[in-house]
Amino acid sequence: MMYKKKKVTLFIQCLVDTLYPEVAEAMVSVLEDLGLELDCPTEQTCCGQPAFNAGHQSEARSAAKKFIELFEDAEVIVSPSGSCVNMVKNHYPDLFSADSSMLERARAVAAKTFEFTEFLVDILKVENLDARFPAKVTYHDSCHLNHCLGIHLQPRKLLANIRELEFIEMKDSDKCCGFGGTFAVKYADISSAMLEEKVQNIVDSGATVVTGCDMSCLMNIQGMLSRTKAQVKVMHIAQLLSAK
C-alpha cells in the first residue's frame, strides 16, 4: 500500500459535515480499519464550489486560497465527494492561472487530492474491505465524478466485493439527476423532470438501496424518493463499505 504509513488528511464536504456526518464517520471507519493514520483539520471550510458555479470568481478564489494554505502540508488528501474533489483538481488551477506562485501551490495540492473510492482502488490497490451488506443495490454515477474525474469503475469494483450484496445496474446510471448545485434552483422545472426520470430508473431496477459517491446528488434523489413514497433507501458508498 503506497500510503500505508502516511497520514491521510480528511477533506469533509460541507454537506456531509452539516447534514450527513454518518458518511464521514463511515469513511473514517474504513480508513482506520486499513491501518491509516488520519488527520482532520477543524479549520476547513467550503472549497468554494458554490461561489465558483455561480460565477463569483473572487469569492471562490478566496475560499480556494484558504483551502490551499490549510492543506498544502498534507501528505495525501481524501474526500467523500467527487464534486468537491473535482473543484480542487480541475478548477483551483483555473482560479490562479494569472498568479504563478499560487498556481504552483494549487497544482501541488490538486495532485495529492483524491476521491474516496479512487484512493482505495487506484492508490491503495484495495478492492475488498470484507464488508457485508445483504441488499439489492444500484449505483448512481454523479456527473463530476464520472465525467470530470473519470471515476466509474472504482465504485463498482468495491461494491462487487461486498458480501451478500446484489448489484443491479440501473438504466442510464450516468445521466444527471438534475441537481447541479444552483441548476436545480435556476431551472427547477427542467431539474425536476431529470430527477423524475432518474428516480423512475432507480425504482425500475428493483433495488432497495441506491448508492453513490456524492451526497449532493443522493440528497436530491432522496427528496424525490420520499415525495413519491418509493421504498428505496439512499446511502453513500462509504456506509456500505463500512458495514459488517
Side-chain angles (χ1 to χ4, degrees):
M1 294 183 184
M2 182 177 178
Y3 287 100
K4 176 75 175 178
K5 300 301 181 183
K6 292 191 175 183
K7 180 184 291 185
V8 173
T9 300
L10 304 177
F11 163 28
I12 306 299
Q13 179 193 28
C14 303
L15 198 65
V16 168
D17 184 41
T18 55
L19 297 178
Y20 302 98
E22 63 273 19
V23 171
E25 292 170 358
M27 183 177 73
V28 167
S29 175
V30 169
L31 296 177
E32 285 186 336
D33 283 350
L34 290 171
L36 296 164
E37 182 182 356
L38 306 182
D39 179 37
C40 186
T42 56
E43 303 92 339
Q44 63 181 287
T45 59
C46 176
C47 65
Q49 184 180 190
F52 181 81
N53 289 345
H56 302 298
Q57 300 287 296
S58 178
E59 289 79 1
R61 194 173 294 110
S62 177
K65 184 171 185 292
K66 178 178 175 62
F67 184 98
I68 291 167
E69 291 172 344
L70 187 61
F71 283 92
E72 64 185 339
D73 290 333
E75 294 177 89
V76 61
I77 304 159
V78 177
S79 174
S81 167
S83 179
C84 297
V85 168
N86 176 60
M87 179 68 195
V88 173
K89 293 183 86 70
N90 292 327
H91 296 308
Y92 276 14
D94 293 338
L95 286 171
F96 298 106
S97 59
D99 182 336
S100 59
S101 176
M102 281 303 301
L103 176 60
E104 184 178 347
R105 294 168 68 185
R107 285 174 171 166
V109 167
K112 55 185 176 183
T113 301
F114 302 95
E115 185 275 331
F116 176 55
T117 63
E118 174 190 27
F119 180 65
L120 291 174
V121 175
D122 294 348
I123 305 304
L124 296 182
K125 308 300 181 187
V126 171
E127 297 182 9
N128 190 339
L129 293 153
D130 196 29
R132 173 184 174 273
F133 192 81
K136 294 180 178 179
V137 177
T138 194
Y139 176 80
H140 164 65
D141 288 283
S142 60
C143 296
H144 284 144
L145 190 81
N146 186 33
H147 302 306
C148 300
L149 297 175
I151 299 172
H152 172 79
L153 294 176
Q154 295 89 335
R156 288 172 170 79
K157 288 180 179 178
L158 292 163
L159 291 171
N161 284 299
I162 297 178
R163 288 179 288 122
E164 299 180 41
L165 184 150
E166 180 182 345
F167 181 71
I168 306 172
E169 195 76 72
M170 76 168 87
K171 178 185 176 185
D172 295 332
S173 63
D174 60 346
K175 287 186 73 172
C176 179
C177 69
F179 183 61
T182 56
F183 177 83
V185 177
K186 291 181 176 178
Y187 307 99
D189 290 344
I190 299 174
S191 172
S192 293
M194 295 168 73
L195 180 57
E196 285 176 2
E197 182 180 359
K198 172 61 67 174
V199 166
Q200 189 59 55
N201 287 337
I202 293 169
V203 172
D204 288 348
S205 76
T208 55
V209 174
V210 56
T211 191
C213 299
D214 271 293
M215 282 315 301
S216 50
C217 300
L218 294 176
M219 179 182 69
N220 192 39
I221 291 169
Q222 185 177 42
M224 181 64 76
L225 287 170
S226 177
R227 290 194 292 277
T228 58
K229 302 187 185 309
Q231 299 301 305
V232 182
K233 191 174 182 179
V234 167
M235 298 179 72
H236 190 277
I237 194 169
Q239 295 173 283
L240 305 187
L241 295 173
S242 66
K244 302 296 183 184

